[in-house]
Amino acid sequence: MPPDARLPIPAQPYPFDLHPSRCALLIIDMQRDFLEPGGFGEALGNDVSQLRRTIEPNRRLLAAWRAAGRLAIHTREGHRPDLSDLPPAKWRRARSGSTIGDVGPMGRILIRGEPGHDIIPELYPLAHEPVIDKPGKGAFFATDLNALLADHGISQLVVTGVTTEVCVNTTVREANDRGYDCLVLEDCVGSYIPAFQEAGVAMIKAQGGIFGWVGNSADVISALETTRASAPQALEEGAP
Ligand code: TIU
């Protein structure tokens, strides 16, 4: 693929001009704590099975993204074991039966280094893929994500993960204000609350794309495969 290749992706409110050499895949918080029973999501009173439909499309997308030799970045929401980066307000509002820092079936809830904090096995990062540990909902707050994207010459993000109206929306808004073009893939983002899935997606693309674009993973995968078919050698070697 030539470095200036552009792939038109069907999206709303209008097609997204994907520039692979300037675009990163940003997978938000696909952690056991949100997707598996016994973690933070369930502690907040949610039915975690609502998110599982996002796993397979994310898995296929990540495989295609890796095959195209492009940058994939993973994020994890969580806190230091001594809770020094946990604002008291977040702790108070996360309280139910158990809360951040309490011991659950996957270790201490939402604490870095614990089994529940890690990415689900289906989407586990490769050794060279950056993992951004974030204490907040947005992936830019109190992290080096912006510096990392600048280092890689990234100006566009394909955004997936959970949950649609919380960490995905917060991150897309942060990214938009920093000048990134964001394409959110509807089938690869999920919410515990069906009405919020719908609203969370709608508010990204409303008003002419006020925060970004909304598309689906099949269109991104087929666009990447088109370029792969035309230059299989270069792509397999991860050349620009
Ligand atoms: N509660 C909820 O829907 N989400 C979060 O707390 N974090 C993320 O979205 N990752």
Side-chain angles (χ1 to χ4, degrees):
M1 194 183 331
D4 59 349
R6 284 190 155 76
L7 308 174
I9 308 293
Q12 293 175 314
Y14 47 85
F16 183 81
D17 194 23
L18 179 66
H19 191 165
S21 64
R22 295 190 160 273
C23 187
L25 172 61
L26 186 63
I27 306 179
I28 304 289
D29 299 359
M30 291 295 279
Q31 296 162 253
R32 299 183 65 200
D33 256 322
F34 292 107
L35 287 121
E36 295 185 11
F40 184 56
E42 196 170 78
L44 293 174
N46 296 301
D47 168 13
V48 295
S49 69
Q50 291 286 333
L51 304 186
R52 300 216 50 99
R53 64 159 183 80
T54 64
I55 297 174
E56 185 54 22
N58 266 292
R59 194 194 59 73
R60 284 197 299 267
L61 175 71
L62 181 57
W65 202 264
R66 286 170 173 165
R70 299 297 153 199
L71 176 65
I73 302 172
H74 308 255
T75 73
R76 300 185 295 201
E77 181 181 348
H79 296 278
R80 297 173 186 268
D82 65 2
L83 305 183
S84 57
D85 61 353
L86 175 62
K90 181 175 179 180
W91 181 80
R92 277 197 304 275
R93 283 184 284 102
R95 261 189 309 173
S96 52
S98 50
T99 187
I100 300 170
D102 290 352
V103 177
M106 296 190 288
R108 293 181 69 203
I109 292 173
L110 220 60
I111 298 298
R112 294 177 190 165
E114 300 288 336
H117 174 263
D118 214 349
I119 309 282
I120 57 170
E122 295 90 334
L123 300 175
Y124 208 76
L126 298 178
H128 69 275
E129 290 173 347
V131 177
I132 302 289
D133 279 323
K134 62 188 185 65
K137 304 304 182 189
F140 289 85
F141 170 68
T143 74
D144 62 358
L145 177 59
N146 206 33
L148 189 147
L149 295 174
D151 276 355
H152 284 84
I154 298 296
S155 59
Q156 302 182 327
L157 298 170
V158 170
V159 185
T160 74
V162 297
T163 63
T164 309
E165 80 279 19
V166 182
C167 291
V168 171
N169 249 274
T170 305
T171 298
V172 167
R173 290 163 191 236
E174 287 182 326
N176 180 60
D177 280 350
R178 286 165 177 78
Y180 297 94
D181 282 334
C182 294
L183 172 64
V184 177
L185 301 182
E186 190 163 9
D187 55 323
C188 293
V189 296
S191 171
Y192 300 118
I193 302 160
F196 290 175
Q197 167 71 9
E198 196 177 331
V201 165
M203 59 178 66
I204 289 165
K205 65 186 177 186
Q207 303 184 59
I210 192 86
F211 296 121
W213 288 253
V214 174
N216 66 73
S217 63
D219 288 325
V220 174
I221 292 169
S222 57
L224 290 172
E225 281 171 355
T226 309
T227 63
R228 214 166 135 70
S230 61
Q233 271 321 96
L235 287 168
E236 269 157 24
E237 287 161 13

